[in-house]
Amino acid sequence: MTSQNKVELEIPRTALAIGAHPDDMEFGCSGTIAKWAKAGCEVHYLLLTSGDKGTEDAEADPLELRRVREAEQQAAAQTLGVKSCVFLRLTDGELEYSLALRGEVVRQVRKFKPETILSWDPLTRNYRMHPDHRVCGQLALDAAFPAAMMPLSYPEQIREEGLSVHRAKRLLLFGTDAPDYYVDISGVLDLKFASFKAHPSQFTFDDNFVERIKKRHQDFALDFDFEYAEAFKLVEL
Ligand SMILES: [Zn+2]
């Protein structure tokens, strides 16, 4: 373990996890979410799309797929102890960075007032990164800092909607190539797997899948005295 690496020291009271598609959080941070929710943290999910292109079936109906995937996300969230899921229903695969969409993310940050925000690392050097993940992470970062904390940014939310500025303490970015913050999820691995099981439209929950996920989280924990970890890039605000 290098001196920059940190192991989770405190569990926030409130958290907002922002994903591009239903199942993003299950891969990226569901162990952490389960652990925090168990400890009393109020966690909410914000989904930018509802994954309406997440199929290899060319005859699939995107609206039906959206319905199925939102229900799967709700079920996964319930398993983890997440309080609510907000679905913005943008089109899967077509997320574009815009000031309007950033404003929508700012609105949710101002509404839920999370101490910690979790999302994709948009700067990771993964050349096969889903473009929606990159846009999602950049929106999360830019909404948290500085937009949500500045009263003249999206001022109508404050004047007309009764929201107030909010400064999150930190972001934890998953899918990163530069992890420096690790959460021990050994005690909640069963809940992480239960949340995966809630997405039958997306993967076959077989031994291969279980072994692949276990190996990934064992590798994250290699330098520590616990067995399974989730890894993040820590951004203090
Ligand atoms: Zn995704």
Side-chain angles (χ1 to χ4, degrees):
M1 181 169 88
T2 66
S3 57
Q4 292 99 333
N5 283 345
K6 293 192 179 104
V7 174
E8 179 186 61
L9 296 177
E10 65 169 6
I11 291 178
R13 283 170 301 176
T14 49
L16 177 65
I18 305 174
H21 316 106
D23 81 15
D24 283 3
M25 266 73 95
E26 277 62 73
F27 278 104
C29 61
S30 57
T32 301
I33 296 297
K35 184 177 179 181
W36 290 358
K38 259 185 156 182
C41 175
E42 185 178 316
V43 188
H44 298 273
Y45 271 14
L46 172 61
L47 279 301
L48 303 187
T49 84
S50 294
D52 50 283
K53 294 210 171 103
T55 180
E56 288 171 8
D57 175 6
E59 304 300 318
D61 172 9
L63 281 182
E64 172 60 10
L65 190 55
R66 180 172 89 184
R67 190 193 62 74
V68 166
R69 298 202 63 191
E70 287 185 2
E72 289 177 348
Q73 184 63 95
Q74 297 275 18
Q78 205 170 5
T79 299
L80 298 167
V82 172
K83 274 235 156 147
S84 76
C85 299
V86 175
F87 297 99
L88 297 188
R89 294 185 170 169
L90 291 144
T91 303
D92 186 0
E94 298 179 11
L95 272 190
E96 281 187 296
Y97 193 103
S98 71
L99 294 181
L101 183 51
R102 190 169 79 192
E104 190 51 53
V105 178
V106 167
R107 176 177 284 117
Q108 304 304 324
V109 170
R110 285 173 172 172
K111 187 168 105 189
F112 291 118
K113 307 217 176 300
E115 282 181 21
T116 301
I117 295 171
L118 305 101
S119 193
W120 289 102
D121 181 348
L123 302 177
T124 195
R125 283 171 304 169
N126 173 358
Y127 299 105
R128 288 181 55 203
M129 191 173 192
H130 193 303
D132 286 352
H133 295 170
R134 195 181 303 120
V135 172
C136 175
Q138 196 65 54
L139 284 165
L141 271 173
D142 298 350
F145 181 87
M149 60 179 79
M150 307 300 281
L152 297 183
S153 283
Y154 305 98
E156 69 286 356
Q157 295 175 1
I158 292 164
R159 283 197 223 111
E160 295 159 25
E161 299 174 31
L163 296 172
S164 55
V165 292
H166 178 67
R167 184 187 190 104
K169 276 191 183 170
R170 63 182 61 96
L171 290 107
L172 295 182
L173 303 176
F174 49 80
T176 182
D177 66 350
D180 55 7
Y181 193 86
Y182 297 83
V183 177
D184 174 7
I185 60 162
S186 309
V188 287
L189 199 67
D190 55 334
L191 288 172
K192 185 172 178 81
F193 280 120
S195 75
F196 278 124
K197 272 191 182 158
H199 295 276
S201 78
Q202 296 305 297
F203 21 80
T204 311
F205 194 86
D206 57 12
D207 290 350
N208 268 349
F209 179 82
V210 170
E211 284 317 305
R212 186 164 60 86
I213 299 294
K214 277 188 172 172
K215 171 83 167 62
R216 176 192 298 166
H217 295 287
Q218 274 171 336
D219 287 350
F220 286 147
L222 274 182
D223 291 338
F224 307 105
D225 61 358
F226 43 83
E227 198 173 1
Y228 299 101
E230 283 177 344
F232 302 94
K233 175 74 191 167
L234 170 66
V235 181
E236 296 277 12
L237 294 182

